[in-house]
Coordinates of all heavy atoms in Angstrom, one line a residue:
R38 N 21.2 91.5 -143.4 CA 21.4 90.5 -144.5 C 20.1 89.6 -144.6 O 19.7 89.3 -145.7 CB 22.6 89.7 -144.2 CG 23.3 89.2 -145.4 CD 24.7 88.7 -145.2 NE 24.9 88.2 -143.8 CZ 25.8 88.5 -143.0 NH1 26.7 89.4 -143.3 NH2 25.9 88.0 -141.8
R39 N 19.6 89.2 -143.4 CA 18.5 88.3 -143.4 C 17.2 88.9 -144.1 O 16.4 88.2 -144.6 CB 18.1 87.9 -142.0 CG 19.1 86.9 -141.4 CD 18.8 86.7 -139.9 NE 19.9 86.1 -139.2 CZ 20.0 84.8 -139.1 NH1 19.1 84.0 -139.5 NH2 21.1 84.3 -138.4
V40 N 17.1 90.2 -143.9 CA 15.8 90.9 -144.3 C 15.9 91.6 -145.6 O 14.9 92.1 -146.2 CB 15.2 91.8 -143.2 CG1 15.0 91.1 -141.9 CG2 16.1 93.1 -143.1
S41 N 17.1 91.8 -146.1 CA 17.3 92.5 -147.4 C 16.4 91.9 -148.5 O 16.2 90.7 -148.6 CB 18.8 92.3 -147.8 OG 19.0 92.8 -149.1
P42 N 15.7 92.8 -149.3 CA 16.0 94.2 -149.4 C 15.2 95.1 -148.5 O 15.2 96.3 -148.7 CB 15.5 94.5 -150.9 CG 14.4 93.5 -151.0 CD 14.8 92.3 -150.2
S43 N 14.5 94.5 -147.5 CA 13.9 95.4 -146.5 C 15.0 96.1 -145.7 O 16.1 95.6 -145.6 CB 13.1 94.6 -145.5 OG 12.0 93.9 -146.2
R44 N 14.7 97.2 -145.1 CA 15.8 97.9 -144.4 C 15.7 97.6 -142.9 O 14.6 97.2 -142.4 CB 15.6 99.4 -144.6 CG 16.0 99.8 -146.1 CD 15.4 101.1 -146.6 NE 15.0 102.0 -145.5 CZ 15.9 102.8 -144.8 NH1 17.2 102.7 -145.1 NH2 15.5 103.6 -143.9
T45 N 16.8 97.9 -142.2 CA 16.9 97.5 -140.8 C 17.1 98.7 -139.9 O 18.1 99.4 -140.1 CB 18.0 96.5 -140.6 OG1 17.8 95.3 -141.4 CG2 18.1 96.0 -139.1
A46 N 16.2 99.0 -139.0 CA 16.3 100.0 -138.0 C 16.9 99.5 -136.8 O 17.3 98.3 -136.7 CB 14.9 100.6 -137.7
A47 N 17.1 100.3 -135.8 CA 17.6 99.8 -134.5 C 16.7 100.4 -133.4 O 16.4 101.6 -133.4 CB 19.0 100.2 -134.2
V48 N 16.2 99.6 -132.5 CA 15.5 100.0 -131.3 C 16.5 100.3 -130.2 O 17.1 99.3 -129.7 CB 14.4 99.1 -130.9 CG1 13.6 99.6 -129.7 CG2 13.4 98.9 -132.1
V49 N 16.6 101.5 -129.7 CA 17.6 101.9 -128.7 C 16.9 102.5 -127.5 O 17.5 103.3 -126.8 CB 18.7 102.8 -129.3 CG1 19.5 102.0 -130.3 CG2 18.1 104.0 -130.0
K50 N 15.7 102.2 -127.3 CA 14.9 102.7 -126.1 C 15.6 102.2 -124.8 O 16.4 101.2 -124.9 CB 13.5 102.2 -126.2 CG 13.3 100.7 -126.2 CD 11.9 100.3 -126.6 CE 11.7 98.8 -126.6 NZ 10.4 98.4 -127.2
A51 N 15.2 102.8 -123.7 CA 15.7 102.4 -122.4 C 17.2 102.3 -122.4 O 17.9 101.3 -122.0 CB 15.1 101.0 -122.0
D52 N 17.8 103.4 -122.9 CA 19.3 103.5 -123.0 C 19.9 102.3 -123.7 O 20.9 101.7 -123.3 CB 19.9 103.6 -121.5 CG 21.3 104.2 -121.5 OD1 21.6 104.9 -122.5 OD2 22.0 103.9 -120.6
A53 N 19.3 102.0 -124.9 CA 19.7 100.8 -125.7 C 19.7 99.6 -124.8 O 20.7 98.9 -124.7 CB 21.1 101.1 -126.3
Y54 N 18.6 99.3 -124.2 CA 18.4 98.1 -123.3 C 19.4 98.1 -122.2 O 19.9 97.0 -121.8 CB 18.4 96.9 -124.2 CG 17.2 96.7 -125.1 CD1 16.7 97.7 -125.9 CD2 16.5 95.5 -125.2 CE1 15.6 97.6 -126.7 CE2 15.4 95.3 -126.1 CZ 15.0 96.4 -126.8 OH 13.9 96.3 -127.7
G55 N 19.8 99.3 -121.8 CA 20.8 99.3 -120.6 C 22.2 99.4 -121.0 O 23.1 99.5 -120.2
L56 N 22.5 99.3 -122.3 CA 23.9 99.2 -122.7 C 24.5 100.5 -123.1 O 25.7 100.6 -123.4 CB 24.1 98.2 -123.9 CG 23.6 96.8 -123.6 CD1 23.9 95.9 -124.7 CD2 24.2 96.3 -122.3
G57 N 23.8 101.6 -123.1 CA 24.3 103.0 -123.4 C 23.9 103.4 -124.7 O 24.6 103.1 -125.7
A58 N 22.9 104.2 -124.8 CA 22.3 104.5 -126.1 C 23.2 105.3 -127.0 O 23.3 105.1 -128.2 CB 21.0 105.3 -125.9
S59 N 24.0 106.2 -126.4 CA 24.9 107.0 -127.4 C 25.9 106.2 -128.0 O 26.2 106.2 -129.2 CB 25.4 108.3 -126.7 OG 25.9 108.0 -125.4
C60 N 26.6 105.3 -127.2 CA 27.7 104.5 -127.8 C 27.1 103.5 -128.8 O 27.6 103.3 -129.9 CB 28.4 103.7 -126.7 SG 29.4 104.8 -125.7
V61 N 25.9 102.9 -128.4 CA 25.3 101.9 -129.2 C 24.8 102.5 -130.5 O 25.0 101.9 -131.6 CB 24.2 101.2 -128.4 CG1 23.2 100.4 -129.3 CG2 24.7 100.2 -127.4
A62 N 24.1 103.6 -130.4 CA 23.5 104.2 -131.6 C 24.6 104.7 -132.6 O 24.5 104.5 -133.8 CB 22.5 105.3 -131.2
S63 N 25.7 105.3 -132.0 CA 26.7 105.7 -132.9 C 27.4 104.6 -133.6 O 27.6 104.7 -134.8 CB 27.9 106.4 -132.1 OG 27.4 107.4 -131.3
A64 N 27.6 103.5 -132.9 CA 28.2 102.3 -133.6 C 27.3 101.8 -134.7 O 27.7 101.4 -135.8 CB 28.5 101.2 -132.5
L65 N 26.0 101.8 -134.4 CA 25.0 101.3 -135.4 C 24.9 102.2 -136.6 O 24.8 101.7 -137.7 CB 23.7 101.0 -134.7 CG 23.6 99.8 -133.7 CD1 22.3 99.7 -133.0 CD2 24.0 98.5 -134.4
E66 N 25.0 103.5 -136.3 CA 25.0 104.4 -137.5 C 26.2 104.1 -138.3 O 26.1 104.1 -139.6 CB 24.9 105.9 -137.0 CG 24.7 106.8 -138.2 CD 24.8 108.3 -137.9 OE1 25.0 108.7 -136.8 OE2 24.7 109.0 -138.9

Side-chain angles (χ1 to χ4, degrees):
R38 206 165 35 229
R39 287 171 195 269
V40 303
S41 173
S43 300
R44 292 159 20 78
T45 303
V48 179
V49 294
K50 61 193 181 189
D52 201 24
Y54 291 43
L56 300 186
S59 44
C60 290
V61 162
S63 306
L65 291 174
E66 187 187 359

